[in-house]
Amino acid sequence: MSGATTAAAPAISREIPAAPDIETDVLVIGAGACGLTAALAAHDAGAEVVVVERDASPSGSTSMSSGFIPAPATAAQRAAGISDDDAGRFAADIQAKAKGTANETLVALAAREIGPALDWLADAHGLQWQVLTDFLYPGHSRHRMHAVPERTGEALLARLIAAVEAAGIPLVTEAHAQVLHLDEASTVRAVTLSRPGGGRETIACKALVLACNGYGGNPELVARFIPGMAGALYYGHAGNTGDAVLWGEAMGAARWQLSGCQGHGSLAHPHGVLISWALMMEGAIQVNAEGRRFSNEHGGYSEQAVNVLAQPGGIAWNILDARLYAFAQGFPDYRDAMAAGAIREAGDIAALAAATGLAESALRETLETVAEFAAGRKADPFGRDFTGRPALQAPFFAVKVTGALFHTQGGLGIDESARVLAEDGSTFPNLFAAGGAACGVSGPDISGYLSGNGLLTAIAFGRIAGNSAASRRN
Ligand SMILES: Cc1cc2nc3c(=O)[nH]c(=O)nc-3n(C[C@H](O)[C@H](O)[C@H](O)COP(=O)(O)OP(=O)(O)OC[C@H]3O[C@@H](n4cnc5c(N)ncnc54)[C@H](O)[C@@H]3O)c2cc1C
């Protein structure tokens, strides 16, 4: 987690600053994937843009992420030989994961717009995309996960920052947006920033894009909106303290599906390193402190946070073998976990029991039963299909994990232009929101998150927000 400065609560004011320090067409709050994409789009549409970011060095949840972005029908996907994917198929996958509870309009919009957005970032701003074809994340019916060549969120953010710098867009750091100044028509006229040392500056704008993500870093809001995850470890960016939702509340903006979130059931404990769920998809299992499986690991890593936290001590052990250990080397996070000493190796089941402190008899029974599932001789009572992958074989590897809250998925209600809606369904004239600041496409439950829904709306809706905001400059 990155450090965040403490600051006064976000507020709105009906006073319009007479002499702002800076004026711009489009002001973007937040320099994650969403804000940087929005800035590039507004710039490409001819607007003058300023991005403000509270941290000294932008990182956001974007840099903590794996950086995997799902998109159908891109040039990169076609180059990878996949030609039977489209927005309709992707939208169906999103809604299947959310059990039909995600906002229909936003799902269709995201599924339709993310492909063109990634192609545009490649063509106009030099981002390079690779499609990950070596595994399928739960719920995706096609290989459509895109990543930059380094396969990390950190590199994704670095490449977006480089594009913003190349475009000559000012990115003002250590600039914590605090007060939105609205006129009588609820048009945002300016934003006041707090600066290090207690200074304040005001930027006047013709349109404002809220790209300051959700409320995972605000324990009070988590307890209020997602009580089931109150007290859970938050493993997103600490500076995402719910400012968009708090401004929205003060302004009478629509706020949708605030109980929605993404969890993860595989965070190395106590090291705090993500262990990719791809390992589960390829054959790894999770056992609890009693050495027994407790769930269908293919249900989804988000809801698995709840399943893991419900186990004794709120922990689980991921068990893999040499085949999966070799596969895991392709994931930078996994290599980080190795370097942190989180992975334990064991030559046989007895050694695995000794390395983990789990009961040998229970472990043996679990592994023998899973081998029966893999051979197709028995059916898993949790419903996971183990056939198609070899049974786990010695030597084994184990990592202790816990469940965590990664980010929130509810947020401000927006229309197809990413314009923020009021509670009565009308629109605010020049206020736009996207990414984690706006409602996502995961529905109201932790189980509704399909892999990649976070960066999906950060980039697809970020681009739309930037374009729409630019149109307000005249
Ligand atoms: C460990 C982890 C792994 C993940 N992996 C994936 C993945 O592989 N694929 C995927 O799709 N999603 C993933 N996600 C989710 C994804 O990271 C987020 O959905 C996405 O980064 C949101 O982008 P954003 O630009 O909205 O927010 P952020 O990247 O968090 O950026 C928001 C920025 O706003 C700044 N800010 C906040 N308030 C203010 C303010 N008042 N004034 C100024 N600045 C402010 C913050 O400091 C921050 O820099 C993951 C998340 C985590 C935590």
Side-chain angles (χ1 to χ4, degrees), residues 29-35 52-55 59-62 64-68 175-177 211-213 235-237 239-240 243 247 262 274 406-407 434-436 449 452-456 458:
I29 299 178
C34 177
V52 293
E53 162 59 49
R54 62 183 289 177
D55 290 344
S59 56
S61 286
T62 300
M64 301 178 71
S65 78
S66 307
F68 299 162
H176 190 168
C212 44
N213 208 333
Y235 190 66
H237 181 61
N240 295 333
D243 292 359
W247 281 316
Q262 183 211 340
L274 175 66
F406 271 21
H407 56 119
Y449 184 86
N453 274 1
L455 288 168
L456 165 66

Side-chain angles (χ1 to χ4, degrees), residues 17-344:
D21 297 289
I22 306 174
E23 293 184 28
T24 187
D25 292 336
V26 175
L27 177 61
V28 178
I29 299 178
C34 177
L36 299 172
T37 303
L40 289 168
H43 168 85
D44 287 7
E48 195 184 350
V49 189
V50 173
V51 183
V52 293
E53 162 59 49
R54 62 183 289 177
D55 290 344
S57 174
S59 56
S61 286
T62 300
S63 76
M64 301 178 71
S65 78
S66 307
F68 299 162
I69 310 154
T74 60
Q77 198 192 35
R78 282 191 296 277
I82 302 149
S83 54
D84 62 346
D85 199 9
D86 58 31
R89 186 185 291 277
F90 183 27
D93 287 351
I94 294 172
Q95 278 295 23
K97 189 71 179 73
K99 298 190 179 70
T101 61
N103 181 294
E104 200 66 52
T105 306
L106 295 183
V107 170
L109 187 67
R112 191 169 71 233
E113 294 299 328
I114 188 65
L118 293 195
D119 284 346
W120 158 74
L121 282 171
D123 296 343
H125 296 288
L127 274 85
Q128 294 167 277
W129 303 118
Q130 295 180 346
V131 173
L132 311 183
T133 53
D134 46 357
F135 62 93
L136 263 183
Y137 271 108
H140 283 285
S141 59
R142 291 292 180 276
H143 287 115
R144 57 167 79 101
M145 231 26 128
H146 293 62
V148 293
E150 301 86 347
R151 290 189 173 200
T152 64
E154 203 176 351
L156 170 67
L157 190 77
R159 285 170 178 262
L160 285 168
I161 289 173
V164 161
E165 282 171 356
I169 300 168
L171 198 176
V172 186
T173 56
E174 298 188 288
H176 190 168
Q178 293 213 299
V179 184
L180 308 192
H181 299 268
L182 276 60
D183 66 16
E184 62 287 348
S186 289
T187 301
V188 181
R189 301 282 298 280
V191 174
T192 293
L193 315 168
S194 72
R195 302 284 271 158
R200 286 166 90 78
E201 281 172 21
T202 305
I203 302 186
C205 59
K206 293 178 185 156
L208 178 65
V209 177
L210 300 178
C212 44
N213 208 333
Y215 36 92
N218 184 327
E220 277 172 34
L221 294 186
V222 172
R224 190 169 141 204
F225 300 133
I226 322 172
M229 291 304 278
L233 176 70
Y234 171 56
Y235 190 66
H237 181 61
N240 295 333
T241 49
D243 292 359
V245 162
L246 292 170
W247 281 316
E249 195 166 68
M251 293 169 68
R255 283 149 286 136
W256 294 345
Q257 302 194 318
L258 293 176
S259 52
C261 65
Q262 183 211 340
H264 206 294
S266 182
L267 189 71
H269 183 70
H271 313 82
V273 183
L274 175 66
I275 305 295
S276 173
W277 207 247
L279 301 181
M280 292 297 148
M281 300 313 291
E282 290 300 311
I285 60 169
Q286 278 195 324
V287 298
N288 61 17
E290 292 159 1
R292 306 200 181 279
R293 287 179 60 241
F294 50 90
S295 64
N296 175 356
E297 298 90 340
H298 286 187
Y301 55 67
S302 183
E303 56 268 51
Q304 194 70 2
V306 178
N307 294 333
V308 169
L309 289 170
Q311 300 310 304
I315 61 104
W317 288 87
N318 293 0
I319 311 287
L320 42 146
D321 64 7
R323 175 181 69 86
L324 294 164
Y325 182 82
F327 172 65
Q329 302 308 309
F331 296 89
D333 286 337
Y334 194 82
R335 298 199 297 270
D336 289 346
M338 288 167 61
I343 315 296
R344 304 183 193 186

